[in-house]
Amino acid sequence: MKKEWWKLKKSLAIAGLALVTVVSGCSGSNAGENGEAGAAADGDKGEITVLYVGDQFWQDQAKEFEQVSGIKVNYEVVNFTEQHDKLATAFAGGSTEYDIVHVRDDFVAEFAPKGFLTPLDDLITEDMKANISDNYFTPMMNDGQIYGFPRYLWPWQFYYNKELFAEAGIENPPSTWAEFTAVAEKLKAKGITPYAEPWGETFSYTPFIVHLRSEGGEFWDEEQDIPTFNSPEGVRALQFMADMNLKSKIISPQSVQYDSTAPLADAFAQGTIAMMMNAPHTYPLANNPETSKITGQVGVALVPGAELKTASYAETGGLAIPASSKNKEQAMEYIKFVTSTEQEKAMAIGIGRIPADNVALQDTEVQEANPHFASVAEQMEYPYGMFKHEKAAAISTEVSRHISAAVAGRETPEEALKAAEANVLKMIGK
Amino acid sequence: MDKANRFLMIFGRGREQEKKDRGMRKGGLLDRLDRLSDTSTAYLYLMPTLTLILLTVFVPMLYALFISFSKVAFTQGNMTYDFVGLSNYMQLLSDARFLNVLSNTVFFTVTKVVATLAIAFGISLTIYFGLWGAGFFKRIFLIPWALSNVVNSLMWQWMYSGDYGIFNEVLLKLGFIDEYQMWLVNEHTAMSAVLFADIWKSVPYVALLLLAAMQSIPRELHEASKVDGGGPITAFYHIILPHIKPVIMVLLVIETMWTLRVFDLIWLLTKGGPQDSTMTLNVFAYEQAFRNFDLGYGAAISYCITILTLIFTFFYMKTLKVEN
């Protein structure tokens, strides 16, 4: 009997312990907060969690900040293409995990109206803004407030392989898309894969925007908040893209599997394609003997034009503090550090981003390390801005699905743009 | 203890005396706990687990059900709910993509479960009967299962790559293809490619359970069968199959549930594309909830998966007629 009684008491104790564990687990976050507060009061300068891509430069920069400030940085690496969804799920779930996140134009447009980002207007000092032109802040703003602090520009330029051009007897890069086709035909005749674009199903709207703009069209009417891509210019642009694949066959068949610019830059650096449009990081990547087979052969030019001399696509990369962050003060210290002129210079030299800081951009050392920056100013005189909308992710995916269908010949350009427009209008309730 | 004392102890006086001896107050907490029936005691033991399940499974499920009847909006970082009744479910039924997504889901589930069970059956029988290759299978067949889902997905992503994938290289060397194919971005091959990767990972677990069930069959049955002149086919139909039927039922239900829930593999390999050819309900729910930020609609789609699971389970139970 005693044994039974002992068993009963034991099971009660286990049940009680488990319940206590469950209950304490539920209230764990509060305990953590108190613990952190206690640590901070003891002279600890606290810690922040940063979410961004895993390039060594960014991680080293975070370590440098740690040493300078005494604030511990937990650097969480995320693949760039997964970043949006990671943020969306964290924000929707009310996560307080991140203190610093990377944002670009469309992220601000999507997350700021929902209250997921902290307005930075009162936190940004005049000193911090001194070297940055207002143009850089505009993509980081929503409803008149700043939600992201800009640190670099990410414009597409036209890259070509000088050695392959010489092999095909081509002297200069094409300045129009018509010239481009002729150049591509010459390369193809020499057995060289002439060109590639990122035509993956979530990203093909991006090269389409460039072609659309060079034809004189635009993707979105921001005043009326409606799509404008289904236009004669849009049809011409998409027809040109489809023809590259179905008619002249001058585009790499691999294009349909590129869902970002990174694999495209790798293919270019491996010498498997002769031309492409890509962001400025391509230059150091393609000139680095560790990552490239074409060092010293990289040519950079304006993106070819049609109705317009040229047109491009550019993201503004910035840093934001989630509204749910519990370490806003430390997060702001981080922003201040990594956007300083010195760090902006290091970024431009180290990984070829175009710094938002004008002093850093004009620095001789930066210009020497990045000769491709020279044509950026002219490129930026023509349309380049990123498409922004609160439902940008869903809209761009929907449009990309139809662009991909058109370039593969499953839909005509007219059908693709008409269907995409109808679905987008439904999506935005118009 | 003689029978009389034992009787007294069980039916009252002996037990009462025992309590008195241990100082238990009549009507006190310990006394009341001691009087609990077996069922109540069982519930008491289960309480911690049930509490955990309630908090981590049923509460979110009820919350998702509530959301599926709401239009959710985010303002100032907070969620606001607007009750819309069956509107999200009606929207789903009228969604032009829904039928395709549903048929993809059913196709993916049925093909995967049937193929997995068939292959796993073959492997487990090979090992059970010690046929040719049994030793080889024994040593390697658990490897795919040991890989994490993400590692498995990335591995297949590389193997299927149209640039450098080993899958292409092997098929090219064997003469099955003339040039590298982009398996994951071709709407005619993407579904098969994803299915192959998922089956490859699932087979070991199913084979392991089937083998365990087979090994629990008493040897005497096989010996008796042999004495009666039965061969391996007779043993399979009259001994193995009836014996492992309950395990097959459990595996069918579990595999169906797991397959209906597959998300990471499809998301990492194709994101539901190309042209929705690999879009299943789970990926569709995620896309609507976290890319379009329509949480209500996403929750309604998730409940469709639950309904589909129940339909499959009911079908299995009816077809296999497994009792208990």
Side-chain angles (χ1 to χ4, degrees):
Chain A
M1 280 312 287
K2 271 191 177 174
K3 224 176 186 178
E4 276 176 29
W5 177 235
W6 170 240
K7 267 187 192 167
L8 178 63
K9 278 210 282 193
K10 205 165 135 186
S11 64
L12 275 173
I14 292 168
L17 194 69
L19 269 175
V20 169
T21 311
V22 169
V23 173
S24 64
C26 293
S27 59
S29 57
N30 289 336
E33 282 163 32
N34 294 339
E36 281 161 23
D42 291 342
D44 184 349
K45 294 192 174 167
E47 63 181 74
I48 54 169
T49 299
V50 176
L51 179 76
Y52 193 37
V53 292
D55 300 41
Q56 198 55 50
F57 174 82
W58 302 121
Q59 298 196 55
D60 290 345
Q61 191 181 49
K63 276 183 196 142
E64 203 180 328
F65 168 73
E66 224 173 38
Q67 283 162 4
V68 171
S69 66
I71 297 168
K72 186 175 182 310
V73 180
N74 303 309
Y75 193 97
E76 191 175 320
V77 172
V78 62
N79 189 326
F80 195 89
T81 52
E82 305 296 331
Q83 201 167 214
H84 168 273
D85 292 0
K86 187 136 186 157
L87 288 177
T89 44
F91 291 156
S95 165
T96 57
E97 199 177 346
Y98 306 118
D99 302 300
I100 289 282
V101 296
H102 171 88
V103 285
R104 56 182 201 189
D105 323 38
D106 57 339
F107 289 10
V108 172
E110 182 175 355
F111 296 137
K114 296 181 177 69
F116 291 150
L117 302 176
T118 305
L120 301 178
D121 302 69
D122 297 337
L123 304 171
I124 298 172
T125 61
E126 285 305 315
D127 278 358
M128 288 172 75
K129 285 206 285 192
N131 299 338
I132 300 171
S133 80
D134 288 345
N135 288 346
Y136 279 101
F137 280 102
T138 311
M140 300 280 105
M141 291 173 79
N142 185 263
D143 212 12
Q145 282 190 300
I146 301 169
Y147 287 92
F149 195 92
R151 61 171 169 176
Y152 63 76
L153 189 68
W154 182 258
W156 279 17
Q157 294 175 283
F158 189 78
Y159 286 84
Y160 61 97
N161 184 320
K162 290 178 188 169
E163 193 180 0
L164 295 178
F165 265 43
E167 207 177 300
I170 304 159
E171 286 179 6
N172 297 309
S175 59
T176 66
W177 286 109
E179 273 180 42
F180 161 86
T181 307
V183 163
E185 292 285 4
K186 281 186 187 174
L187 288 160
K188 195 176 84 173
K190 285 280 175 189
I192 298 164
T193 305
Y195 184 64
E197 278 185 357
W199 283 359
E201 271 206 349
T202 56
F203 202 64
S204 58
Y205 81 105
T206 316
F208 168 68
I209 285 181
V210 179
H211 290 291
L212 170 64
R213 283 172 175 163
S214 69
E215 289 290 345
E218 205 24 278
F219 190 79
W220 201 266
D221 182 335
E222 292 200 4
E223 294 276 310
Q224 295 184 61
D225 197 27
I226 51 166
T228 51
F229 54 76
N230 184 19
S231 60
E233 294 84 6
V235 173
R236 281 206 303 274
L238 192 49
Q239 188 67 60
F240 178 78
M241 290 171 74
D243 286 349
M244 279 198 286
N245 186 36
L246 304 169
K247 217 165 142 189
S248 51
K249 298 189 189 302
I250 52 176
I251 195 151
S252 160
Q254 320 292 348
S255 293
V256 290
Q257 66 177 14
Y258 298 143
D259 243 328
S260 68
T261 51
L264 192 58
D266 288 337
F268 180 72
Q270 294 311 306
T272 56
I273 50 171
M275 301 180 282
M276 63 159 192
M277 292 187 284
N278 215 317
H281 74 295
T282 306
Y283 192 84
L285 176 96
N287 278 309
N288 180 350
E290 283 178 18
T291 52
S292 171
K293 290 180 181 165
I294 61 163
T295 50
Q297 301 301 329
V298 184
V300 187
L302 289 180
V303 173
E307 289 296 315
L308 299 187
K309 183 182 177 186
T310 182
S312 182
Y313 161 90
E315 299 170 15
T316 304
L319 294 172
I321 303 175
S324 56
S325 163
K326 298 200 176 303
N327 305 297
K328 291 192 174 77
E329 205 179 308
Q330 289 93 331
M332 205 57 212
E333 283 298 307
Y334 183 82
I335 290 179
K336 204 172 177 180
F337 176 81
V338 300
T339 57
S340 65
T341 303
E342 195 187 326
Q343 289 296 323
E344 286 271 278
K345 265 174 66 178
M347 172 192 75
I349 294 166
I351 46 172
R353 260 63 167 185
I354 298 177
D357 186 301
N358 284 326
V359 176
L361 178 63
Q362 282 154 22
D363 183 85
T364 324
E365 216 182 326
V366 169
Q367 291 292 333
E368 274 172 11
N370 298 286
H372 60 303
F373 284 6
S375 60
V376 169
E378 189 182 358
Q379 187 71 70
M380 297 299 99
E381 286 172 19
Y382 296 88
Y384 68 89
M386 197 184 178
F387 156 63
K388 287 170 62 176
H389 190 277
E390 193 175 346
K391 291 193 169 177
I395 292 168
S396 55
T397 304
E398 180 60 29
V399 176
S400 292
R401 276 159 37 85
H402 289 284
I403 300 293
S404 297
V407 296
R410 288 189 295 265
E411 291 175 7
T412 65
E414 288 86 354
E415 285 168 354
L417 295 181
K418 196 177 166 193
E421 183 188 47
N423 291 342
V424 168
L425 286 171
K426 201 174 160 191
M427 224 176 249
I428 60 172
K430 289 194 174 174
Chain B
M1 190 184 291
D2 61 22
K3 275 187 181 173
N5 270 335
R6 203 174 175 145
F7 178 85
L8 283 173
M9 203 191 83
I10 294 168
F11 292 98
R13 285 193 319 180
R15 197 172 172 84
E16 290 302 323
Q17 189 56 48
E18 175 81 10
K19 285 180 186 175
K20 228 178 236 178
D21 293 348
R22 286 173 12 212
M24 278 169 65
R25 190 169 57 80
K26 199 173 180 185
L29 178 65
L30 292 178
D31 181 39
R32 269 187 278 161
L33 286 171
D34 197 45
R35 284 171 192 277
L36 286 175
S37 66
D38 284 352
T39 314
S40 306
T41 311
Y43 275 117
L44 193 68
Y45 278 104
L46 286 172
M47 202 168 65
T49 311
L50 287 178
T51 311
L52 267 176
I53 291 173
L54 191 77
L55 285 172
T56 58
V57 178
F58 287 102
V59 172
M61 268 179 76
L62 288 174
Y63 181 55
L65 185 66
F66 166 69
I67 285 180
S68 76
F69 293 115
S70 315
K71 199 84 201 159
V72 183
F74 290 90
T75 40
Q76 299 301 311
N78 297 317
M79 277 201 231
T80 54
Y81 309 93
D82 185 13
F83 185 75
V84 292
L86 289 170
S87 168
N88 287 322
Y89 292 92
M90 299 310 287
Q91 186 188 340
L92 183 60
L93 291 177
S94 61
D95 194 320
R97 297 167 71 189
F98 176 63
L99 263 185
N100 175 47
V101 174
L102 183 66
S103 91
N104 281 346
T105 310
V106 173
F107 175 78
F108 185 81
T109 307
V110 172
T111 314
K112 191 263 175 123
V113 171
V114 171
T116 304
L117 267 158
I119 298 167
F121 227 108
I123 292 175
S124 51
L125 280 173
T126 305
I127 297 174
Y128 183 63
F129 284 119
L131 299 176
W132 182 86
F136 173 74
F137 277 128
K138 250 187 201 175
R139 279 168 188 81
I140 63 141
F141 91 123
L142 274 178
I143 292 173
W145 186 52
L147 294 176
S148 84
N149 284 341
V150 175
V151 171
N152 183 47
S153 308
L154 289 175
M155 186 185 80
W156 282 101
Q157 196 179 46
W158 290 335
M159 293 211 298
Y160 284 138
S161 167
D163 286 327
Y164 45 77
I166 194 167
F167 198 72
N168 272 315
E169 189 61 27
V170 170
L171 292 181
L172 196 70
K173 287 265 157 62
L174 292 174
F176 288 113
I177 51 172
D178 298 328
E179 56 182 11
Y180 273 29
Q181 303 291 315
M182 280 161 289
W183 305 99
L184 296 173
V185 288
N186 179 335
E187 72 267 33
H188 302 299
T189 56
M191 178 60 101
S192 308
V194 175
L195 263 169
F196 191 80
D198 200 25
I199 291 167
W200 184 82
K201 175 150 177 62
S202 306
V203 161
Y205 174 75
V206 177
L208 188 73
L209 288 199
L210 287 174
L211 183 64
M214 286 175 196
Q215 284 174 337
S216 70
I217 300 170
R219 281 277 151 201
E220 295 80 12
L221 289 178
H222 284 294
E223 281 156 17
S225 167
K226 269 183 197 163
V227 170
D228 290 345
I233 295 173
T234 314
F236 177 74
Y237 280 110
H238 297 288
I239 299 173
I240 297 175
L241 214 49
H243 197 87
I244 64 169
K245 205 172 162 186
V247 176
I248 294 175
M249 172 67 191
V250 170
L251 282 171
L252 278 172
V253 175
I254 289 177
E255 274 297 308
T256 302
M257 285 195 300
W258 282 351
T259 309
L260 283 169
R261 274 183 6 203
V262 167
F263 171 77
D264 37 13
L265 180 78
I266 300 176
W267 187 253
L268 286 167
L269 290 184
T270 62
K271 290 196 165 53
Q275 299 296 298
D276 274 357
S277 61
T278 58
M279 184 66 76
T280 58
L281 280 169
N282 228 355
V283 180
F284 192 45
Y286 177 83
E287 186 192 271
Q288 296 303 321
F290 297 111
R291 285 195 80 81
N292 296 2
F293 265 109
D294 196 343
L295 292 192
Y297 192 36
I301 298 167
S302 299
Y303 264 90
C304 269
I305 302 171
T306 311
I307 293 166
L308 211 55
T309 310
L310 292 175
I311 292 171
F312 269 112
T313 310
F314 181 74
F315 171 75
Y316 292 147
M317 290 180 85
K318 278 296 229 190
T319 313
L320 289 171
K321 295 188 180 75
V322 175
E323 288 167 18
N324 300 321

